Every structure is written in C-alpha cells, then in structure tokens.
Amino acid sequence: PQELASLAWAFATVGQPAPALFDGLAVVAAQRLTFFKPLEVANVAWAFAAADHRTAPALFDEGFGRHVESLGGGFNDGSLVQLHQWALWLERECGRAEGLPSEQLRARFHAAFASRGGRPSRLHKEVLSALASLRLEPAEHLQTEEGYTLDLVVEWRGEKVAVMVDAPWHFHNRQPTGHTLLRRRQLRHFGWRVLPLPHWEWSTLYHSAVADDAPPQRRMQTYLLYALEQRVI
C-alpha cells in the first residue's frame, strides 16, 4: 500500500497526466484497501482528486467511505486537508456521494482545511499595494464556503476575481504543481474567476531592465491591468 500511495501521490504532485497508471492503481488499491493506513488512504484519495481521474468507481465506493470512517482518529492535519479536497472532488466535481464518510468526519476535514494559515509574503503585500493603487479595493484572505482562503479578491468588469499570488513552491520548473492545479480547478468549478500571478513575472517588474524605463509601480499597474483583461481563467 505504501508504494502504491507514494507512486500515485508523486505523479499527481508534479501534475503529470498518467491515466493508464491511475487505472491500474485503482484496481490494485481497491483489492488491498483494508491494508491501507491513514496516510496512505489520504495520499491515494488526494492523488486521484488532483489528477481528476474519474474512471475509478471500483475504488471510491461505499467500502472506501467505511474504511476512511474506521481510520478517522488516525488522520493527522495534513491528511485531513487532503481528504477535504478529495471529498470536494468526489461530491462536487464528480457528483458522487456513495464513497464519502460521515458528515461528522467530513466536518473535521473542512475544519482542518479552513484553519490553514500563514503570514502574508512580500510578494502578496506588493500585489495588494499595486491593486490598491489602481483603486480596485482588494479584499484579503476571503474564505469560501468550501474552506478555500483566497489571497486577494477584486471586482473587475462586474465579476469577482480571485487573484492567486503564486509563490515559488506553487511550481516545479515553472509548471504548476498538482496542488496548484487542483486549487485553481476547484475554485473555477465553484464559480470563481481566477487570475494566477506567477512569482517570476512579478519579480521581473522589479529587477529586469525594461525599454521604457518606467518606475516599478507603473510597470506593476500595467501588468495587472493586462492580466485582468487577458489572463483571467
């Protein structure tokens, strides 16, 4: 079980599509489910959610929900966070409920997920300041009913846009990680418009030489206006 869970987690974490692999993992995991420990269950569930691999009905059936329930006291906070994203995927994205554990345990998933916090980075503060200078009145750390905390939210052309301040750990070789892709996809599924702001593009506004020699704040404002017009997903 540990090797299966680690393999699924590794492919999903780097955002590497591998449908044939996940089909095979689903069959083997379903057969050996009772041997899976809490961390392994959480890693497998999260990996399938991150990969958005939906052709695994034999794995996420009522038996899976019962096994998750039986392990309820053994999940650490990280596993609870993973299982919350998996439960959102199974119920809200896939439209299935038969593989879910009890509402009481899912409330623990939600609480762990919603309680995650962190100190605003310098990048976050710079983006906040630039949005404010455009008089867009950005809101910070708005929490959705699903438990996601949005970095910044602005209204643009009559729509709410979640501005994702994507730090270095949100990428691998400048490609979004599975965590980043899952977050974006689920927010879009829940009705949010999303604007990703990669850290290296923002850093360029500060440090690289530009032909027009405009001050950094002016370059930031121009970049944000372009991004809001052209890159919201």
Side-chain angles (χ1 to χ4, degrees):
Q2 182 177 0
E3 290 77 11
L4 291 175
S6 296
L7 185 61
W9 180 86
F11 270 83
T13 296
V14 297
Q16 177 65 47
L21 173 67
F22 276 85
D23 280 339
L25 289 173
V27 172
V28 178
Q31 294 171 345
R32 306 185 63 185
L33 180 61
T34 56
F35 297 100
F36 277 69
K37 298 176 182 178
L39 181 62
E40 296 156 358
V41 166
N43 279 342
V44 165
W46 180 86
F48 275 81
D52 197 20
H53 190 82
R54 305 189 184 194
T55 58
L59 176 56
F60 300 119
D61 59 7
E62 292 181 359
F64 190 89
R66 287 193 296 270
H67 188 56
V68 172
E69 192 73 33
S70 71
L71 298 173
F75 294 117
N76 60 27
D77 286 346
S79 293
L80 293 173
V81 166
Q82 289 180 307
L83 288 167
H84 179 66
Q85 290 183 300
W86 162 75
L88 288 175
W89 169 72
L90 191 64
E91 182 176 28
R92 301 282 296 278
E93 294 190 80
C94 300
R96 296 176 52 200
E98 62 270 19
L100 294 170
S102 67
E103 291 188 10
Q104 182 179 10
L105 183 53
R106 286 159 58 196
R108 287 183 55 209
F109 298 169
H110 186 285
F113 187 78
S115 66
R116 297 174 307 155
R119 300 175 62 182
S121 66
R122 185 181 69 178
L123 175 61
H124 175 100
K125 294 176 182 177
E126 290 172 357
V127 176
L128 171 64
S129 177
L131 288 169
S133 74
L134 291 168
R135 299 183 179 180
L136 293 176
E137 300 181 359
E140 290 187 89
H141 309 308
L142 187 151
Q143 191 167 89
T144 71
E145 66 179 40
E146 295 83 14
Y148 274 103
T149 298
L150 308 179
D151 298 331
L152 297 162
V153 176
V154 298
E155 185 170 326
W156 183 254
R157 302 203 181 282
E159 292 186 298
K160 296 288 187 182
V161 177
V163 181
M164 303 281 90
V165 182
D166 285 331
W169 53 89
H170 293 159
F171 299 91
H172 177 71
N173 292 331
R174 292 199 172 184
Q175 294 300 312
T177 65
H179 295 84
T180 303
L181 292 171
L182 176 59
R183 174 185 173 88
R184 292 179 186 175
R185 193 189 75 231
Q186 290 197 329
L187 286 173
R188 291 174 63 193
H189 183 81
F190 302 146
W192 283 94
R193 303 295 306 281
V194 177
L195 174 59
L197 296 182
H199 66 92
W200 65 86
E201 292 185 0
W202 192 259
S203 296
T204 299
L205 301 174
Y206 255 112
H207 303 297
S208 70
V210 292
D212 62 9
D213 199 30
Q217 186 179 55
R218 179 67 58 82
R219 297 202 297 268
M220 290 181 217
Q221 291 173 333
T222 301
Y223 169 81
L224 286 171
L225 290 172
Y226 170 80
L228 285 164
E229 286 286 2
Q230 301 293 332
R231 295 174 54 177
V232 174
I233 58 177

